[in-house]
Amino acid sequence: QVQLVESGGGLVQAGGSLRLSCAASGSIFSINAMGWYRQAPGKQRELVAAITSGGSTNYVDSVKGRFTISRDNAKNTVYLQMNSLKPEDTAVYYCNAETIVVVALRYLEVWGQGTLVTVSS
């Protein structure tokens, strides 16, 4: 019913930048919060950044001042601008959206397929 398609991952040197995008499509009535999570090898998935429909944001401490989350509500798209990347940022990054779908106005949490970010030292 709802799909999230991510793009923008890749290989970058330490200190470099990447911009992730995540577009939602399908039978969407509205989207509440959207966020980016990451999972490094051997570690649990963690919330990196989140943004409400009104634009309020929160970040994990390790990325504050380096990453910026934003969204375009008209395009149902969320972005993650990542600057000053460090090797410890290497992970698979997943997009997440809390949606209300058209059918029965039901709540549906959706995940993207993940995009790999590799930061070399």
Side-chain angles (χ1 to χ4, degrees), residues 2 4 33 37 96-101 106-111:
V2 179
L4 299 180
Y37 290 71
N96 173 273
E98 298 177 351
T99 69
I100 303 296
V101 297
R106 180 173 59 92
Y107 171 85
L108 181 65
E109 183 179 22
V110 190
W111 290 90

Side-chain angles (χ1 to χ4, degrees), residues 48-62:
V48 176
I51 184 168
T52 67
S53 57
S56 297
T57 60
N58 67 282
Y59 299 89
V60 67
D61 285 346
S62 60

